[in-house]
Amino acid sequence: MRRITRIATVGIASAALALSATACGGKKSSDASASPSESGQKSAAIAYDIGGRGDQSFNDAAYAGLKKAETDLKIKGAEAEPTDGEGEADKVQRLTELARKGNNPVIGVGFAYAPAIKKVAPKFPNTTFGIIDDTSVTGDNIANLVFNEEQGSYLAGVAAAKVSKTGTVGFIGGVEVPLIKKFEAGFTQGVKDTNPNAKVLSAYLTQPPNFDGFAKPDLGKAAALGQLDAGGADVVYAAAGLAGSGAIEAASAKGKWAIGVDSDQYNQAGLAKYKDAILTSVTKDVSDSVFNLIKSVEDGKPTIGEIRYGLDKDGVGLADSNPKYKEMADVIAAVEKAKADIIAKKITVKTAP
């Protein structure tokens, strides 16, 4: 598998482990060698979101789907990284290059790719474009891979309320955008439905158009320390991409619980030092969504339109990799009941706070 561009490593101590899979480099898309498709082998491509591969979260989940496609479908995979402070034109160029080289599908990892896909997709009608976490851009060759993040976050809220001894828990959002508001809404509702007297502290690391809140672990660490120390929280849930690794580090240092996001972060190698502090993680099956789209193209029947993954399809959920979590019978029972009630539509989870 070949990576087309690389993002510079964030030079801070708290990110060292989380960035273990992301190397420094100034290689540009124009420097890339011939794509696998040019040698006659079918290929698919993903363009990463802020933080790039090695975030131990969202982007790594997408990479896992591409890697599975390489193994199971015998295709070649191409990857393209974001650059610091890039604009829409950079994304347009990146997607255009991936499509020109014959990759099919071309998948933008994250809602930030919506404007670029809107411009590029019509120019390549025979290429399927996928976009994760966005439904605003549609077309005859566009697949919208979306998730009920609020449902998984509700389960995290139930778990947080059950394990909290102080009655105060924290939510940290990377950037205050509607998508992350879904995480906050579900989490807060789950906490309050479980313990009406509980207190939820909420904080956002940055405001758009500044998206550093998805990329800088030091911001996540500082916010989590504030909630754990001054706020009295003993559980923190961060929906902040790479920045969330800082929140996990902070919880570990304080002997408190952290709840991961997107990937099962207990099993992420870059977070192994802090894994005992990761109670659970809200998972999004980004991996399967990427693989399934690639397979549909390989099968000659490209999937287009909205493809939604919720609790009913195990598209979102709550990981149970931590042995300590598995021992919490009352917590697991409460989470399973909540899951069943959401699937049965006895509980409607809010998508905005």
Side-chain angles (χ1 to χ4, degrees), residues 276-328:
D276 288 344
I278 303 174
L279 175 69
T280 181
S281 297
V282 175
T283 58
K284 291 170 58 173
D285 203 354
V286 174
S287 175
D288 267 8
S289 75
V290 168
F291 175 83
N292 290 341
L293 180 59
I294 295 172
K295 187 176 188 303
S296 76
V297 173
E298 291 301 298
D299 289 344
K301 298 178 180 179
T303 304
I304 59 171
E306 181 178 311
I307 307 157
R308 182 167 293 278
Y309 294 84
L311 280 178
D312 57 338
K313 299 177 181 177
D314 290 325
V316 296
L318 211 59
D320 64 355
S321 297
N322 191 332
K324 294 179 182 177
Y325 177 80
K326 290 181 180 179
E327 295 172 358
M328 301 175 181

Side-chain angles (χ1 to χ4, degrees), residues 70-331:
E70 280 197 313
T71 301
D72 293 2
L73 306 178
K74 309 304 180 185
I75 67 162
K76 286 293 184 181
E79 307 166 69
E81 294 274 7
T83 55
D84 290 334
E86 70 178 24
E88 181 184 324
D90 298 290
K91 291 182 174 64
V92 169
Q93 180 181 2
R94 182 176 305 124
L95 296 178
T96 298
E97 181 174 358
L98 291 171
R100 279 178 178 166
K101 287 185 175 295
N103 295 291
N104 189 19
V106 174
I107 303 172
V109 183
F111 63 84
Y113 279 98
I117 285 181
K118 185 176 182 179
K119 289 184 178 181
V120 177
K123 299 178 181 178
F124 298 90
N126 295 322
T127 299
T128 298
F129 287 82
I131 182 166
I132 301 173
D133 287 347
D134 180 86
T135 58
S136 69
V137 55
T138 58
D140 292 339
N141 60 334
I142 298 174
N144 307 89
L145 312 177
V146 291
F147 301 82
N148 292 118
E149 296 91 353
E150 72 282 358
Q151 294 180 350
S153 295
Y154 184 98
L155 302 186
V158 172
K162 293 290 288 185
V163 303
S164 177
K165 296 179 180 179
T166 65
T168 300
V169 300
F171 171 81
I172 298 170
V175 182
E176 193 166 4
V177 293
L179 173 67
I180 305 304
K181 286 285 191 179
K182 289 173 66 180
F183 287 88
E184 179 189 4
F187 181 69
T188 300
Q189 185 179 345
V191 170
K192 292 291 188 177
D193 283 356
T194 305
N195 178 7
N197 297 318
K199 183 178 181 180
V200 180
L201 307 175
S202 293
Y204 283 87
L205 303 180
T206 61
Q207 298 289 324
N210 180 0
F211 287 86
D212 285 351
F214 289 137
K216 295 188 175 182
D218 59 335
L219 298 179
K221 181 178 181 180
L225 288 175
Q227 292 181 342
L228 295 167
D229 289 339
D234 56 357
V235 185
V236 290
Y237 170 40
L242 177 59
S245 64
I248 292 172
E249 179 186 354
S252 176
K254 294 294 181 178
K256 307 299 182 183
W257 285 119
I259 295 176
V261 77
D262 291 339
S263 297
D264 183 355
Q265 295 195 296
Y266 181 87
N267 286 326
Q268 290 293 326
L271 296 172
K273 183 178 179 180
Y274 316 116
K275 64 188 299 182
D276 288 344
I278 303 174
L279 175 69
T280 181
S281 297
V282 175
T283 58
K284 291 170 58 173
D285 203 354
V286 174
S287 175
D288 267 8
S289 75
V290 168
F291 175 83
N292 290 341
L293 180 59
I294 295 172
K295 187 176 188 303
S296 76
V297 173
E298 291 301 298
D299 289 344
K301 298 178 180 179
T303 304
I304 59 171
E306 181 178 311
I307 307 157
R308 182 167 293 278
Y309 294 84
L311 280 178
D312 57 338
K313 299 177 181 177
D314 290 325
V316 296
L318 211 59
D320 64 355
S321 297
N322 191 332
K324 294 179 182 177
Y325 177 80
K326 290 181 180 179
E327 295 172 358
M328 301 175 181
D330 59 330
V331 176

